[in-house]
Amino acid sequence: MAHTVDARGFSCPQPVILTRNAIKAGDFPIEVLVETVTSRENVRRAAEKLGCTVQVEEMRDEFKLTLTK
Amino acid sequence: MSEKLTRFFASRPGIILAGAVIGVLAPLLQYAGNPKNMGICVACFERDIAGALGLHRAAVVQYVRPEIVGFVLGATIAALLFREFKARAGSTPIVRFVLGVFAMIGALAFLGCPWRALLRLSAGDLNAVVGLIGLAAGIFVGVQFLKAGYNLGRSHNTYVAVGWIMPVMMVGLLLLLIFRVKASGTGALFFSESGPGSQHAFWLISLGAGLAIGFLAQRTRFCTMGSIRDVLLMGDTHLISGLGALVVVAVVTNLILRQFGTPAFFGQPVAHSSHLWNFLGMALAGLAFALAGGCPGRQLFLAGEGDGDAAVFVLGMITGAGLAHNFALAGSPDNAAEGIVGGISIYGMAAVVLGLVVCVLIGFTMRQKMEV
């Protein structure tokens, strides 16, 4: 059961803050839901910087990023 | 192809390119007629628009600045081309409005937004150093609130028409400018006959530069406040490499165009050397931008890609400009000829302090325990 971070509707930097908190908690895999390409790229960059592997899945109007370590 | 371009613009070379382009275009706009050290200033130019519409009657700062129109519409074009135009709204708009008002009051106490602070620095105005330290201090306070769970709540996807309101308003402004609409002999539009408002590049040049910057900034998410925030919040230097590029390239361009003045505090163009209020004015602006999630430029680009909340922030800034000049809150430049140091009025000081208090209250009261 993946740990889910629902960052939909939040603007920067909230999606990144929430993702970082989840990474620190260390409960992998983590699924991050975001709505904008900006948030997708910001979360991807932040997660990769913290050593995670990021997979992106586009679903209708939003993105699901799966973070593993 | 589109995805590849998106990844490029999201990369470090992408943001450096955006900063460099702004660093070239802003001094060139000054060369083409814009006021000194004000090739681009989002706060000043929104203030000039407020003046042109008659929202304030400071005769020297009234002009419909096509750069602002270009910023919004350039972002709209980029967002449409890359399928990122997304109408969204509903994240505490009234708070964003208030933050916009005080951001403008703070910026006008300093006489410039973060963009102009960088351009002033790039032309030898040392007051910009004080302003930028103030800006960073304000953002630092904002970051503490962010760490403590401050946020403005979620926005929601909404009707496409909502996202189009700001772009359409900008087209309207442009039409008013092109046709030089004059409602009556003494009515709006107002155009300055002297002072900064009378100094401007030919409108097509301004619009073209604005469109180019709006396009690039939408793709790269260029943001002056975000640059400093990301460093303070998580040691991320991605965005700030764009700021560095802007300053380096602007210095070189200013040197080539012979626009680089003698580095000094006193008597700089459209600037005052009242250090405390340069610092506090920009601290207020920085805090308000940090709480609102973007610098004034970024708010325009977001408004261009359909963010109705960013659009409300922009309207707050334009309203704040009206208030700032009607209540004599804005800074007065140094008078170099008579050796008089400028600064802000007692009302301006009160407004800056009030703004800081309001922003801190917003930061303290709008926190939620973030569940991860």
Side-chain angles (χ1 to χ4, degrees):
Chain A
M1 179 62 192
H3 188 84
T4 300
V5 176
D6 183 0
R8 289 175 297 181
F10 281 123
S11 50
C12 281
Q14 258 76 40
V16 172
I17 293 178
L18 293 173
T19 304
R20 284 169 60 93
N21 289 349
I23 292 172
K24 277 181 201 155
D27 198 4
F28 291 95
I30 301 163
E31 283 182 1
V32 186
L33 299 174
V34 295
E35 278 178 332
T36 63
V37 180
T38 308
S39 295
R40 183 191 76 191
E41 292 304 319
N42 286 345
V43 168
R44 188 209 305 257
R45 198 169 52 240
E48 284 175 351
K49 211 178 152 198
L50 290 176
C52 299
T53 310
V54 182
Q55 266 190 323
V56 182
E57 197 181 327
E58 190 166 354
M59 317 186 300
R60 279 178 152 230
D61 263 358
E62 54 191 61
F63 302 97
K64 183 169 86 179
L65 292 87
T66 308
L67 279 47
T68 48
K69 207 166 190 177
Chain B
M1 182 62 192
S2 158
E3 185 61 28
K4 250 188 182 166
L5 269 175
T6 296
R7 291 306 295 272
F8 167 73
F9 284 123
S11 72
R12 194 178 288 269
I15 189 77
I16 288 175
L17 173 73
V21 168
I22 296 167
V24 174
L25 288 181
L28 279 174
L29 282 169
Q30 178 186 334
Y31 193 73
N34 279 7
K36 281 188 177 170
N37 300 358
M38 207 192 283
I40 294 169
C41 171
V42 177
C44 315
F45 287 4
E46 288 176 351
R47 181 266 320 274
D48 291 350
I49 290 175
L53 296 175
L55 301 178
H56 69 70
R57 304 299 295 276
V60 291
V61 283
Q62 299 170 327
Y63 178 59
V64 178
R65 294 279 178 187
E67 288 89 350
I68 300 294
V69 174
F71 276 16
V72 173
L73 297 182
T76 305
I77 292 166
L80 289 173
L81 279 178
F82 288 83
R83 297 168 179 273
E84 283 180 19
F85 189 89
K86 197 168 204 176
R88 52 198 191 273
S91 167
T92 45
I94 183 66
V95 177
R96 292 171 186 271
F97 184 87
V98 170
L99 290 172
V101 169
F102 282 114
M104 182 61 99
I105 288 172
L108 290 180
F110 167 72
L111 290 173
C113 68
W115 290 53
R116 182 164 189 246
L118 297 167
L119 293 171
R120 282 169 58 172
L121 179 69
S122 310
D125 178 348
L126 298 180
N127 298 299
V129 177
V130 179
L132 287 168
I133 293 171
L135 180 76
I139 296 169
F140 177 80
V141 175
V143 164
Q144 306 315 310
F145 287 125
L146 286 168
K147 282 183 177 169
Y150 163 86
N151 73 83
L152 287 176
R154 293 176 202 267
S155 64
H156 302 279
N157 293 337
T158 181
Y159 309 104
V160 175
V162 173
W164 277 99
I165 288 178
M166 184 54 80
V168 168
M169 282 170 73
M170 288 294 150
V171 172
L173 276 180
L174 188 64
L175 292 175
L176 286 175
L177 171 70
I178 293 172
F179 293 104
R180 291 249 159 187
V181 172
K182 192 83 183 158
S184 69
T186 54
L189 296 173
F190 299 98
F191 291 105
S192 298
E193 286 170 6
S194 64
S198 68
Q199 299 160 6
H200 51 80
F202 178 57
W203 70 271
L204 268 175
I205 294 176
S206 296
L207 180 66
L211 285 169
I213 293 171
F215 187 98
L216 269 176
Q218 194 280 335
R219 295 317 302 147
T220 57
R221 337 295 182 196
F222 180 87
C223 178
T224 57
M225 183 285 297
S227 300
I228 298 171
R229 178 201 62 203
D230 286 357
V231 170
L232 295 176
L233 185 63
M234 48 200 178
D236 180 354
T237 56
H238 174 76
L239 282 175
I240 208 167
S241 47
L243 282 203
L246 189 163
V247 172
V248 170
V249 173
V251 167
V252 172
T253 313
N254 275 326
L255 285 170
I256 293 171
L257 298 175
R258 295 172 187 272
Q259 290 176 170
F260 193 91
T262 314
F265 286 100
F266 180 73
Q268 295 291 323
V270 204
H272 64 73
S273 49
S274 175
H275 303 308
L276 176 65
W277 297 99
N278 278 333
F279 177 88
L280 286 178
M282 276 312 246
L284 170 58
L287 177 55
F289 294 140
L291 294 178
C295 79
R298 180 79 185 134
Q299 303 282 357
L300 289 171
F301 311 134
L302 284 169
E305 59 173 73
D307 186 333
D309 296 319
V312 172
F313 183 91
V314 171
L315 296 179
M317 282 194 73
I318 292 172
T319 308
L323 293 171
H325 283 284
N326 289 341
F327 285 87
L329 312 177
S332 308
D334 289 343
N335 185 335
E338 297 178 27
I340 301 169
V341 174
I344 59 176
S345 68
I346 188 87
Y347 299 102
M349 296 173 188
V352 168
V353 172
L354 176 68
L356 286 167
V357 170
V358 169
C359 287
V360 167
L361 284 175
I362 287 173
F364 269 118
T365 52
M366 295 179 200
R367 289 187 290 181
Q368 60 182 171
K369 185 95 179 96
M370 289 295 226
E371 287 173 31
V372 292

